[in-house]
Amino acid sequence: MKITDATKYELLLMNVERIPSHMFDNLGQHSIASYLETKGFKAMVYSGTTGDCEEIISGAIEKDSVPVIGFYTATDNLSVVKHLIEWIKKTYNVYTIAGGPEAVALKEDFLRETGCDFVIEGEGEIPEYQLLSCIIDNILPLEQVQSLRYIDKNNIYHENPLAKPFCNLDEIPFPSRKRCIGSDFRNKIDFGIITGRGCPFRCAFCYEGANTKKVRLRSIENVISEIDFAISENHKLKYLNIYDDTFTLDFRRVEAFCKEVKKRKLFWYCEGHTSNIAKNPEMVKIMVDSGMIGLQIGIESGSNTVLEAYNKKTDRDMILEVVNICKNAGLPRLVGNFIVGGAYETEESISESMKLAEQMLEAGQGMFECKTVFLAPYPHTPITLNPADYNLEYSGVDENTCIYSMQMPLMKPESMEYEKLISFKKTFDEMLKEKIRMLSRNAVKADVERIFFKAGERLNISSLWKDYYLKQEHIVNYIERIISIYRHGNNDYTDDELLELYPVRTFSLLEYKNGLLTYGSYIFSECESFLLKYSAGKIKFRDIIMMSENNKQDLLASYRSLNNRCLIYASRF
């Protein structure tokens, strides 16, 4: 893989995973790189898989003489980082750094086992600058580098005091493709931004609330300027993902953002806290009107006892209320996770979660979907520090057998067997798929159009609802019709206009049971059966009425009902 910028640089920042399916370019590393540039240091960023990283590292060291390589560490890529650092230290004479959320737990043992030179805990801009000033320019002693852990020349381990959080985020220059190596960073149609740091909530399993409490928000002017800058580098950008944990904290700030992003005609996603949304239901409508097509919320459990233990500041009624708020606002997609086997979990609490999930799917038909995960708390959070306080224990699973932390129960309730916990999750997962499959059979056009289209454009949204809709002949045909309608102008026909149009059913085969037309789980009335029988696009609605023993109003009402279920449409030709 070729490095895009041949100019020498002092630091290579790497975010490496084994499988790229859920990986996005690490904006934290891009922030560090852009900040260092203001201080006279050049850093490049690589996000990718283990398949390419050896070539990237070798090229950086052998061709560009890069003296320092830094790694982002999280729970699921920590073993990769360990192996890479061990290989680098055996092969090359360069410095290595480990940072990221997992760094809070990386101390003396990690440094000695891997040969890693430095660990930086927390936000990296200032500590990275100080460290480069020390090891590159020799103008600062190691003991003055904030947030640093290291072993000195005398084999003594040190932990320096933590740096204060970076206060004015507007001072950090924007991420740029010019600082990127061998990646599609902001090179396709989607891109991400971070508009703030820190979290005021104290969820018992979360890194941000436990370790980065102070909230700092970028000005909306600065955020919009970054969006404009990203688009100036790539005019194809169309889908924006806001990665903040707490984007919905300030209603007025969200409102100001929506006003500006709407002008740019972007589709966008974000995360939101259920309490903020329940308190300001009108906020979702404003967000959707400005182009928001996806929202993620923290659900975790359907048991109020469990939610209270997590310190979520929500309850099951509030969560269900948020689904209704989002549905009424016209949101295309709402997602969230349920934790199986978390704090104070019992068979009864899992049943409560399954019941809430069913209620949410019914209330958010065509919009809401969720998945289940096992508990995977970050290090130095209340749950990992004191699991017994939450009726939890480490499951005894050998971490060497675990690829993804949320897909194996590394923790479990004290009174629940490992195999039983896995069985509960499988049952939950099967219920979710079957519920969506069953509900999708009764789709109405508002839900179909919501997930497939917005503002006349077909949306690029991954959705289980879409998958099940596309398995049904009538919905596939109806979607093709909608594309045509949006292309030529959307017409909500009056009764008089319908009379001169050709009705077309969206399924082809005519099957009968006891004299009534059937299709899938539908059994149509006599009036509906007659209308559908002759809705092949060959006879005008007026002529069908004349042929039928049913009166005009009944046939028109049948058309409206069938059209709402995507089973029929009207065509001019």
Side-chain angles (χ1 to χ4, degrees):
M1 193 171 295
K2 186 178 180 181
I3 294 176
T4 56
D5 188 341
T7 305
K8 299 298 182 182
Y9 53 104
E10 292 86 7
L11 173 64
L12 171 60
L13 294 168
M14 304 194 74
N15 176 28
V16 181
E17 296 185 10
R18 287 193 170 87
I19 299 175
S21 56
H22 301 295
M23 186 177 64
F24 56 86
D25 283 278
N26 193 296
L27 291 175
Q29 290 186 321
H30 278 280
S31 176
I32 293 170
S34 58
Y35 177 77
L36 289 175
E37 195 168 286
T38 67
K39 301 298 183 181
F41 292 107
K42 182 169 185 181
M44 300 294 286
V45 181
Y46 169 77
S47 290
T49 64
T50 52
D52 295 322
C53 65
E54 182 177 351
E55 184 181 351
I56 293 294
I57 292 170
S58 298
I61 297 171
E62 296 172 8
K63 297 178 183 178
D64 293 277
S65 303
V66 173
V68 188
I69 300 179
F71 292 93
Y72 173 86
T73 64
T75 303
D76 289 331
N77 82 330
L78 181 57
S79 63
V80 171
V81 172
K82 286 180 178 179
H83 301 160
L84 284 170
I85 291 175
E86 289 169 356
W87 168 70
I88 289 171
K89 299 306 291 184
K90 290 177 182 177
T91 311
Y92 298 106
N93 183 27
V94 296
Y95 293 104
T96 55
I97 308 169
E102 192 71 23
V104 68
L106 304 181
K107 300 198 175 186
E108 183 175 3
D109 287 347
F110 173 81
L111 292 170
R112 295 193 183 279
E113 289 171 6
T114 62
C116 184
D117 297 286
F118 308 105
V119 170
I120 291 178
E121 177 183 343
E123 296 175 9
E125 287 86 2
I126 293 174
E128 292 269 16
Y129 164 57
Q130 293 176 338
L131 182 59
L132 292 182
S133 297
C134 171
I135 60 180
I136 302 294
D137 290 343
N138 297 310
I139 60 175
L140 191 72
L142 276 177
E143 56 266 25
Q144 291 185 23
V145 178
Q146 300 174 78
S147 305
L148 190 70
R149 300 187 190 126
Y150 64 99
I151 296 171
D152 68 16
K153 294 179 180 179
N154 298 316
N155 205 31
I156 298 172
Y157 173 70
H158 297 268
E159 288 191 18
N160 293 352
L162 294 177
K164 293 181 179 178
F166 201 108
C167 290
N168 187 358
L169 301 181
D170 284 6
E171 293 180 354
I172 301 174
F174 306 141
S176 173
R177 291 168 58 187
K178 71 179 183 181
R179 302 186 190 96
C180 195
I181 293 177
S183 171
D184 287 325
F185 178 67
R186 293 183 173 176
N187 192 40
K188 296 182 179 179
I189 62 172
D190 56 332
F191 66 115
I193 61 170
I194 296 174
T195 78
R197 296 181 184 178
C199 181
F201 301 104
R202 303 290 183 269
C203 295
F205 51 77
C206 181
Y207 175 84
E208 281 292 328
N211 297 285
T212 317
K213 299 179 177 67
K214 184 177 180 181
V215 177
R216 291 138 295 142
L217 302 175
R218 296 168 58 188
S219 69
I220 293 302
E221 293 79 9
N222 185 254
V223 171
I224 295 299
S225 292
E226 179 181 344
I227 292 172
D228 289 342
F229 173 74
I231 294 173
S232 74
E233 288 197 315
N234 175 16
H235 294 293
K236 296 181 295 183
L237 294 176
K238 190 173 184 178
Y239 291 86
L240 170 67
N241 201 332
I242 301 172
Y243 294 129
D244 306 16
D245 292 320
T246 49
F247 179 69
T248 57
L249 270 180
D250 185 337
F251 181 15
R252 296 307 168 198
R253 181 173 181 269
V254 170
E255 196 173 29
F257 171 84
C258 290
K259 182 179 179 181
E260 291 300 320
V261 79
K262 186 174 184 177
K263 298 175 185 177
R264 286 144 181 90
K265 297 182 179 180
L266 293 170
F267 297 129
W268 58 282
Y269 317 80
C270 74
E271 294 191 26
H273 197 277
T274 51
S275 64
N276 300 144
I277 296 168
K279 189 184 301 180
N280 301 292
E282 66 273 29
M283 177 167 59
V284 180
K285 180 64 175 172
I286 293 170
M287 294 160 79
V288 170
D289 288 345
S290 74
M292 182 177 71
I293 58 174
L295 176 65
Q296 179 171 329
I297 58 172
I299 304 170
E300 326 311 353
S301 177
S303 164
N304 286 339
T305 299
V306 175
L307 290 170
E308 185 175 352
Y310 289 147
N311 197 30
K312 286 291 296 181
K313 308 299 183 189
T314 62
D315 58 41
R316 58 177 296 120
D317 290 339
M318 184 186 296
I319 294 169
L320 193 55
E321 179 187 359
V322 166
V323 176
N324 289 313
I325 289 170
C326 292
K327 187 71 183 282
N328 292 334
L331 178 68
R333 188 168 189 246
L334 176 69
V335 298
N337 293 334
F338 280 90
I339 296 173
V340 177
Y344 297 104
E345 192 83 283
T346 62
E347 188 169 347
E348 181 182 355
S349 66
I350 293 175
S351 295
E352 289 182 275
S353 289
M354 292 178 69
K355 182 178 179 181
L356 177 60
E358 285 193 274
Q359 291 174 318
M360 295 175 77
L361 288 169
E362 290 166 359
Q365 182 165 341
M367 173 194 70
F368 172 72
E369 57 189 282
C370 59
K371 65 179 181 179
T372 66
V373 296
F374 291 117
L375 180 64
Y378 281 100
H380 280 234
T381 57
I383 284 181
T384 52
L385 293 172
N386 299 290
D389 291 348
Y390 298 86
N391 196 35
L392 290 167
E393 62 185 10
Y394 287 95
S395 66
V397 171
D398 186 344
E399 290 196 12
N400 291 325
T401 67
C402 179
I403 297 176
Y404 295 112
S405 55
M406 290 185 179
Q407 300 304 314
M408 287 184 70
L410 301 177
M411 275 187 162
K412 70 175 189 67
E414 292 176 350
S415 59
M416 194 175 294
E417 295 298 323
Y418 176 88
E419 291 78 9
K420 190 73 170 176
L421 186 57
I422 292 177
S423 177
F424 281 138
K425 184 179 185 299
K426 286 183 177 180
T427 300
F428 203 149
D429 290 340
E430 289 168 2
M431 181 278 292
L432 292 173
K433 289 182 180 179
E434 180 62 15
K435 188 72 176 180
I436 291 179
R437 187 181 73 84
M438 294 296 293
L439 289 171
S440 69
R441 292 178 175 179
N442 300 313
V444 297
K445 67 178 184 179
D447 292 335
V448 172
E449 292 181 23
R450 174 200 303 266
I451 197 68
F452 280 97
F453 301 95
K454 185 171 180 63
E457 294 189 50
R458 189 158 182 172
L459 297 175
N460 181 28
I461 297 178
S462 174
S463 164
L464 194 56
W465 290 101
K466 289 177 72 171
D467 294 342
Y468 279 113
Y469 286 158
L470 291 173
K471 292 178 181 179
Q472 301 178 65
E473 176 193 5
H474 72 289
I475 292 182
V476 172
N477 291 332
Y478 182 78
I479 289 168
E480 291 303 314
R481 170 60 179 168
I482 291 300
I483 293 173
S484 175
I485 289 175
Y486 280 130
R487 188 181 300 126
H488 300 292
N490 194 357
N491 293 303
D492 185 14
Y493 299 116
T494 66
D495 289 352
D496 288 339
E497 289 171 332
L498 275 175
L499 297 178
E500 301 303 322
L501 301 177
Y502 298 90
V504 184
R505 65 178 181 269
T506 52
F507 58 96
S508 54
L509 184 62
L510 296 177
E511 295 183 88
Y512 292 88
K513 183 176 182 180
N514 298 325
L516 295 177
L517 184 65
T518 67
Y519 170 73
S521 60
Y522 291 112
I523 300 177
F524 302 108
S525 69
E526 185 276 330
C527 185
E528 291 174 331
S529 297
F530 184 87
L531 174 59
L532 286 167
K533 178 180 178 180
Y534 289 102
S535 292
K538 299 176 181 179
I539 306 174
K540 286 186 177 182
F541 206 108
R542 177 189 300 280
D543 297 324
I544 294 175
I545 292 174
M546 293 178 64
M547 294 165 54
S548 175
E549 295 179 358
N550 299 282
N551 65 49
K552 172 183 172 182
Q553 292 308 315
D554 286 345
L555 283 165
L556 287 168
S558 292
Y559 171 83
R560 301 290 184 195
S561 175
L562 293 167
N563 177 254
N564 188 52
R565 289 175 282 168
C566 307
L567 295 163
I568 194 171
Y569 64 85
S571 174
R572 291 178 58 209
F573 307 107

